[in-house]
Amino acid sequence: MECPHLSSSVCIAPDSAKFPNGSPSSWCCSVCRSNKSPWVCLTCSSVHCGRYVNGHAKKHYEDAQVPLTNHKKSEKQDKAQHTVCMDCSSYSTYCYRCDDFVVNDTKLGLVQKVREHLQNLENSAFAADRHRKRKLLENSSLNTKLLKVNGSTTAICATGLRNLGNTCFMNAILQSLSNIEQFCCYFKELPAVELRNGKTAGRRTYHTRSQGDNNVSLVEEFRKTLCALWQGSQTAFSPESLFYVVWKIMPNFRGYQQQDAHEFMRYLLDHLHLELQGGFNGVSCSPILQENSTLSASNKCCINGASTVVTAIFGGILQNEVNCLICGTESRKFDPFLDLSLDIPSQFRNKRSKNQENGPVCSLRDCLRSFTDLEELDETELYMCHKCKKKQKSTKKFWIQKLPKVLCLHLKRFHWTAYLRNKVDTYVEFPLRGLDMKCYLLEPENSGPESCLYDLAAVVVHHGSGVGSGHYTAYAAHGGRWFHFNDSTVTLAEEDAVAKAKAYILFYVERRARAAADKL
């Protein structure tokens, strides 16, 4: 929005010596010393934490608005400023009096000058840090090994995602998707879209809550977020623009309460698919897919209309086979899927760790077998037999008719009891390489030797006891190394730590598809 308060509130010099030392994204709040979500006041250059940390930036503004009866008018006017501040991570500007993000500038362009100065400080700090790490690597050949062993060391070139207030569920999914190479590269290669025009044409776009639904693009903000990751230009990126788009088009995720990461992933993929179906930047999605030779038409799985990169990568087909136990009539139905939700077998639900007690450990194969095994439907799920002309007892079995390029497996860790939703905290053993899906195929004889083999690309983990609480993190493989993504913190991880994680969502990449991506 166009803010009328900039001229009276932006008073600091763009290269003010009052700014703290170090990287702006890691500046500490002058009250609580937290370095999460730092905001700088454009009146006095003081730094405070955002409203979703301890809210000292907002309190700084509120305190400045309290009139003191014994002060002179000019002093009161001075106290009434401090209304505009800048995010030290994303460099977006916010006005507390307007209660919205700001897109305009002062006549002298002071806001943009401050923004450029903060960016220069950030780049200088990053360059110095990168030079220091390079020197360490040059001085000792053991440093690479030490980086892998030391879980507290920040990974080189990896970018974290700032937590905007219980948004770890979103961060874990975004980091996982950013490490699925074919999927990520497609979006990063899309042309940029300028959502604004008129007075703000040509300026950097900062999304605001006052924009109408016609002015937002999930594909564009998703593209920007993926481009910001793995560039190595900053230690953490703030996905606030993407989050505000999510608020606008996905009402279920408005607010700052904890959400289910799997539910968010499904909504995200579905809305990306729908937006791509409608065309992007004036270009229909079909030609875009045709230009990418790795996504041939024979490998597309259509869900709700035309195929997109979402269905080309994640899309598979299930065959649902139901047999009437009275007359033997068989009914077959083909259902497209983007992920498979697997129950953890009841006999394993009390075993929380790999070494807790004697006896077999629950494996991913046990969960897959439970999903595909022949099952007799209970009295609440009677099948309407067209031959018997009434509901009858029946059996049901799933076969996989077509495997996707990326197999997404969701372990159903949350289930409803009479009054609340409990978590199944069972450890499930899963392979990091060579998951063989051939035995679950409808026609395994028609598959190639490596078309059914999958290697793990990413894992989403839920820490805590309930879906409405706890914390999400993710592990992902990149460049032959494993990384642990915990919001803005990214560390190198050992394969053993990944294997011991209590997985919630697993992303497996087809070995044949991974080999093709490596050749690009």
Side-chain angles (χ1 to χ4, degrees):
M1 62 158 287
E2 299 278 343
C3 174
H5 310 114
L6 293 183
S7 59
S8 61
S9 297
V10 182
C11 305
I12 60 173
D15 56 349
S16 175
K18 295 181 180 179
F19 288 134
N21 295 323
S23 167
S25 62
S26 60
W27 284 348
C28 295
C29 172
S30 60
V31 178
C32 65
R33 309 307 300 167
S34 170
N35 64 351
K36 294 182 179 179
S37 185
W39 291 74
V40 60
C41 174
L42 297 189
T43 300
C44 63
S45 74
S46 60
V47 177
H48 297 90
C49 58
R51 68 173 72 190
Y52 306 119
V53 182
N54 292 315
H56 289 125
K58 185 178 181 182
K59 190 174 188 303
H60 173 69
Y61 154 72
E62 291 171 344
D63 290 346
Q65 309 314 303
V66 179
L68 301 177
T69 55
N70 294 329
H71 281 207
K72 298 178 182 179
K73 184 177 181 180
S74 60
E75 291 175 332
K76 291 182 184 179
Q77 185 178 0
D78 183 64
K79 290 288 286 183
Q81 296 172 356
H82 308 272
T83 61
V84 179
C85 57
M86 182 177 289
D87 187 338
C88 298
S89 301
S90 66
Y91 313 115
S92 54
T93 311
Y94 192 88
C95 176
Y96 281 108
R97 290 183 68 181
C98 297
D99 194 24
D100 207 343
F101 286 91
V102 177
V103 298
N104 58 317
D105 204 338
T106 65
K107 292 181 179 180
L108 298 176
L110 292 178
V111 173
Q112 183 60 25
K113 289 179 181 178
V114 171
R115 181 178 293 125
E116 290 172 356
H117 182 64
L118 295 187
Q119 288 174 328
N120 290 335
L121 290 176
E122 185 76 30
N123 292 337
S124 298
F126 174 77
D129 185 58
R130 185 169 55 182
H131 179 73
R132 181 182 60 82
K133 288 178 179 177
R134 187 182 293 116
K135 284 291 184 183
L136 285 173
L137 290 173
E138 289 174 355
N139 291 337
S140 174
S141 60
L142 296 175
N143 275 339
T144 302
K145 184 176 180 180
L146 290 173
L147 276 171
K148 292 182 179 181
V149 173
N150 186 357
S152 63
T153 304
T154 303
I156 300 173
C157 294
T159 300
L161 287 169
R162 295 193 178 279
N163 193 315
L164 305 177
N166 281 328
T167 57
C168 55
F169 67 93
M170 178 178 74
N171 293 347
I173 294 297
L174 293 176
Q175 293 286 15
S176 298
L177 295 178
S178 76
N179 286 284
I180 297 173
E181 191 170 358
Q182 275 186 301
F183 186 70
C184 180
C185 287
Y186 174 86
F187 284 94
K188 287 165 70 175
E189 291 170 4
L190 285 176
V193 173
E194 181 58 63
L195 299 180
R196 296 180 179 276
N197 50 36
K199 292 182 179 179
T200 57
R203 299 182 188 171
R204 181 176 174 181
T205 299
Y206 293 94
H207 182 75
T208 73
R209 289 177 290 177
S210 61
Q211 286 180 286
D213 290 344
N214 293 331
N215 291 325
V216 300
S217 168
L218 180 63
V219 172
E220 170 66 359
E221 295 303 336
F222 185 66
R223 182 195 69 80
K224 289 179 182 177
T225 302
L226 293 183
C227 288
L229 301 174
W230 292 106
Q231 287 184 339
S233 59
Q234 52 187 329
T235 56
F237 173 76
S238 180
E240 60 182 9
S241 295
L242 175 62
F243 192 43
Y244 288 137
V245 174
V246 168
W247 275 27
K248 283 185 176 291
I249 65 177
M250 305 180 199
N252 291 7
F253 297 96
R254 289 176 183 168
Y256 293 93
Q257 65 271 27
Q258 182 65 280
Q259 302 281 0
D260 184 0
H262 175 251
E263 185 180 357
F264 172 76
M265 182 197 73
R266 285 307 312 267
Y267 270 90
L268 178 66
L269 292 179
D270 287 345
H271 279 81
L272 288 172
H273 173 64
L274 290 172
E275 191 171 316
L276 287 168
Q277 278 184 322
F280 184 75
N281 198 18
V283 182
S284 64
C285 48
S286 297
I288 295 173
L289 281 174
Q290 290 170 5
E291 289 175 8
N292 191 339
S293 60
T294 62
L295 302 176
S296 61
S298 60
N299 288 326
K300 295 175 186 175
C301 170
C302 297
I303 298 177
N304 298 327
S307 177
T308 67
V309 68
V310 176
T311 52
I313 296 291
F314 292 96
I317 301 175
L318 281 176
Q319 177 181 289
N320 184 355
E321 197 173 276
V322 180
N323 285 277
C324 176
L325 292 177
I326 305 302
C327 68
T329 299
E330 185 179 275
S331 172
R332 293 180 181 178
K333 180 183 176 185
F334 292 94
D335 296 313
F337 67 88
L338 295 178
D339 69 312
L340 298 178
S341 291
L342 311 178
D343 280 307
I344 297 174
S346 57
Q347 66 266 31
F348 297 108
R349 290 190 179 178
N350 292 325
K351 191 167 185 180
R352 297 194 172 189
S353 65
K354 188 173 182 178
N355 303 315
Q356 182 178 352
E357 57 188 29
N358 295 327
V361 174
C362 181
S363 69
L364 186 60
R365 189 168 293 277
D366 292 319
C367 300
L368 284 165
R369 190 180 299 115
S370 175
F371 179 79
T372 56
D373 275 353
L374 188 69
E375 172 191 3
E376 184 172 338
L377 299 177
D378 58 32
E379 296 291 335
T380 62
E381 299 178 293
L382 292 178
Y383 162 65
M384 182 63 190
C385 179
H386 298 292
K387 188 174 181 180
C388 298
K389 305 295 184 184
K390 62 178 181 179
K391 291 185 176 182
Q392 300 283 27
K393 286 188 175 181
S394 59
T395 59
K396 179 181 72 172
K397 180 173 176 61
F398 284 120
W399 295 95
I400 299 177
Q401 198 267 338
K402 174 190 171 294
L403 283 165
K405 291 182 180 296
V406 174
L407 179 64
C408 179
L409 300 176
H410 161 235
L411 300 180
K412 295 162 74 171
R413 291 197 175 274
F414 301 105
H415 65 99
W416 287 102
T417 60
Y419 300 103
L420 50 96
R421 200 177 183 189
N422 287 332
K423 181 181 177 183
V424 179
D425 206 27
T426 302
Y427 169 76
V428 177
E429 193 173 52
F430 54 89
L432 270 63
R433 300 175 189 85
L435 173 65
D436 192 350
M437 295 295 293
K438 194 168 187 175
C439 60
Y440 309 108
L441 280 177
L442 181 63
E443 298 175 341
E445 65 278 2
N446 294 334
S447 59
E450 284 204 344
S451 62
C452 302
L453 290 179
Y454 287 80
D455 297 323
L456 190 65
V459 188
V460 174
V461 182
H462 178 268
H463 310 267
S465 58
V467 67
S469 59
H471 182 61
Y472 286 99
T473 65
Y475 290 95
H478 187 92
R481 296 185 295 179
W482 280 95
F483 294 84
H484 183 220
F485 298 91
N486 182 4
D487 287 336
S488 57
T489 303
V490 185
T491 56
L492 283 163
E494 289 283 359
E495 285 191 356
D496 186 53
V498 180
K500 289 180 179 178
K502 292 183 180 179
Y504 182 45
I505 306 171
L506 296 150
F507 296 88
Y508 280 95
V509 176
E510 184 185 22
R511 185 169 290 179
R512 184 174 57 181
R514 181 185 288 272
D518 291 340
K519 292 178 182 178
L520 296 177

